[in-house]
Amino acid sequence: FPGLNVMTVVTIGVKITNQGDLPGYEFVLIKDSTYAVGNRLFVWFFNKVTGKDKESSNKKDDGDNQSTFSLNKVRVVVPTLSTENNTMISFESNPYLRVQVQFPSFLLKAIPGATKEKSEKTGSDAMRKVLDADGPAALDAFQQEYVRWLES
């Protein structure tokens, strides 16, 4: 919505796994929190729809309306020769992401033509589009930092 920005802050744990001589990495979501900023009316509506208006004073991150699980296994692929006869390091990423969101039933009834199935498909397609757009760049940045670390 114009006038509403939804922000997410995540804490991710990293575990180094052994694959013979080459390391592998597992990135797992430890905690996430989502909040909205912008137009007060839109923020209020966001908080109502997501259940954030019912959160207790202990700041439980996402109430009972959302649960997220994320695991990404990254492994070093056996080095190959590049065109300059230098060893080239490659990575393979195997991500898994599951987000479950519960919307109040009145919301589906209030939006003409909205169904649970259509909402799930729209949400999944939107997430897939973001991951497809951002994933390769993140993996490239990881590769560059890994090579920089090796050379230091």
Side-chain angles (χ1 to χ4, degrees):
F1 291 100
L4 178 70
N5 291 314
V6 177
M7 313 299 281
T8 301
V9 178
V10 298
T11 302
I12 297 174
V14 180
K15 178 181 175 182
I16 298 175
T17 60
N18 291 328
Q19 308 176 52
D21 293 339
L22 302 172
Y25 304 89
E26 291 182 2
F27 300 90
V28 65
L29 176 69
I30 294 173
K31 176 179 131 180
D32 69 326
S33 61
T34 304
Y35 62 95
V37 294
N39 179 295
R40 285 178 37 183
L41 178 62
F42 292 160
V43 170
W44 174 84
F45 183 75
F46 173 84
N47 290 338
K48 280 288 192 192
V49 168
T50 60
K52 294 208 173 283
D53 63 330
K54 296 177 184 171
E55 290 181 2
S56 63
S57 60
N58 70 1
K59 299 288 182 190
K60 187 177 177 187
D61 288 339
D62 284 317
D64 294 326
N65 291 341
Q66 178 179 331
S67 67
T68 306
F69 176 78
S70 173
L71 173 65
N72 188 3
K73 295 181 179 183
V74 178
R75 70 179 190 95
V76 179
V77 178
V78 177
T80 59
L81 292 179
S82 71
T83 56
E84 298 90 27
N85 289 328
N86 293 325
T87 301
M88 185 176 189
I89 296 175
S90 299
F91 293 91
E92 178 180 271
S93 175
N94 183 8
Y96 175 78
L97 176 64
R98 182 185 71 224
V99 178
Q100 293 177 311
V101 180
Q102 293 179 349
F103 290 103
S105 59
F106 79 85
L107 188 60
L108 289 177
K109 294 175 185 173
I111 301 172
T115 65
K116 179 182 175 188
E117 294 75 19
K118 186 175 179 181
S119 299
E120 288 175 349
K121 181 173 180 353
T122 301
S124 294
D125 290 347
M127 289 186 89
R128 187 174 298 111
K129 184 176 178 181
V130 168
L131 292 172
D132 286 346
D134 295 348
L139 202 52
D140 286 345
F142 181 83
Q143 180 183 23
Q144 290 172 10
E145 288 302 313
Y146 184 85
V147 169
R148 190 172 70 116
W149 173 78
L150 280 178
E151 293 172 347
S152 64

